[in-house]
Amino acid sequence: ETFLDYIEKTYARYAVLEPNTLWIEDDFRLHGHAPLRWGGCFCEKHMQRYCGRLGRRVSREEFYQRLLTGEDDCRKAWMDVSRETMVALAERISRGTHSVSPGTRMALMCSNPIVHAAEGRDWYGILDAMGDGAVVRPHLPAYEEIAAKDYLWHFCCASRLTAAVTEKRPISLWPELDNFPYSRFS
């Protein structure tokens, strides 16, 4: 709750400038960056939420092991909490922004759909939280500087897949806007 308050106030502070579009951090997810390498958080508060979903108490180690092997409903409990956490974060960011600048569009840079599938991303929940007119920047293969012959395959597996799962919401899709010194191909 402390972090949610902080991030809501931070985005409200950014929104004072009344930007046309305000971007949410790249890799909007609960894992993949230190200190949360994979799976998000397994602190006591999160373990209470997971166990509440399970209807029984399990140790952190047991939960994590069962999550990885998919032996029972631990994976569903983890995915439900993960989805709720991400949607709640998007709601708070949007609320902070729109409380100060109602006309600002929320924009989300996103990673590869393989990651979204692993975490069970609730695209509709996140996009609804961001509000009408939101922008999504799908992952493009050039970001990783792959060979030209592989580009189309990766474009269909990443960029087009993101477009497909988001198409039923009133959003815009924008290409990569990064400015990084790759080659001319990028």
Side-chain angles (χ1 to χ4, degrees):
E1 210 42 53
T2 301
F3 173 75
L4 290 174
D5 290 341
Y6 164 79
I7 202 75
E8 182 177 340
K9 289 175 185 170
T10 298
Y11 272 83
R13 195 171 317 142
Y14 296 151
V16 168
L17 298 173
E18 297 184 351
N20 176 278
T21 307
L22 189 55
W23 289 89
I24 297 174
E25 171 60 58
D26 197 1
D27 294 332
F28 185 72
R29 60 184 187 233
L30 300 176
H31 54 86
H33 298 288
L36 305 177
R37 292 321 243 167
W38 186 90
C41 187
F42 298 93
C43 71
E44 282 307 314
K45 287 186 178 186
H46 278 98
M47 286 307 302
Q48 288 172 4
R49 290 185 67 189
Y50 300 139
C51 292
R53 291 293 176 135
L54 293 171
R56 66 184 187 282
R57 180 82 182 134
V58 294
S59 70
R60 180 179 291 112
E61 294 75 17
E62 180 184 358
F63 181 82
Y64 192 75
Q65 188 60 39
R66 289 177 181 246
L67 168 65
L68 293 177
T69 60
E71 292 177 32
D72 59 18
D73 51 354
C74 288
R75 177 125 176 111
K76 182 175 181 343
W78 174 81
M79 290 181 105
D80 288 346
V81 170
S82 176
R83 285 184 191 111
E84 291 167 5
T85 301
M86 292 178 74
V87 170
L89 180 57
E91 287 171 348
R92 295 290 290 270
I93 290 171
S94 182
R95 185 169 77 191
T97 300
H98 293 133
S99 69
V100 175
S101 181
T104 295
R105 294 166 39 151
M106 301 306 300
L108 177 66
M109 296 181 275
C110 60
S111 52
N112 197 307
I114 294 168
V115 174
H116 309 161
E119 73 192 9
R121 182 170 291 198
D122 178 1
W123 268 112
Y124 291 160
I126 291 169
L127 293 174
D128 288 347
M130 291 171 58
D132 288 350
V135 176
V136 172
R137 185 221 68 187
H139 176 80
L140 288 175
Y143 187 79
E144 296 167 334
E145 190 93 26
I146 62 171
K149 69 180 185 69
D150 296 327
Y151 191 93
L152 183 58
W153 170 255
H154 288 276
F155 182 76
C156 290
C157 290
S159 314
R160 292 301 310 149
L161 185 56
T162 301
V165 300
T166 60
E167 71 182 356
K168 294 184 180 179
R169 291 299 189 264
I171 65 164
S172 297
L173 292 174
W174 289 1
E176 296 272 359
L177 301 174
D178 296 340
N179 185 14
F180 192 79
Y182 286 131
S183 71
R184 291 180 191 211
F185 173 73
S186 181

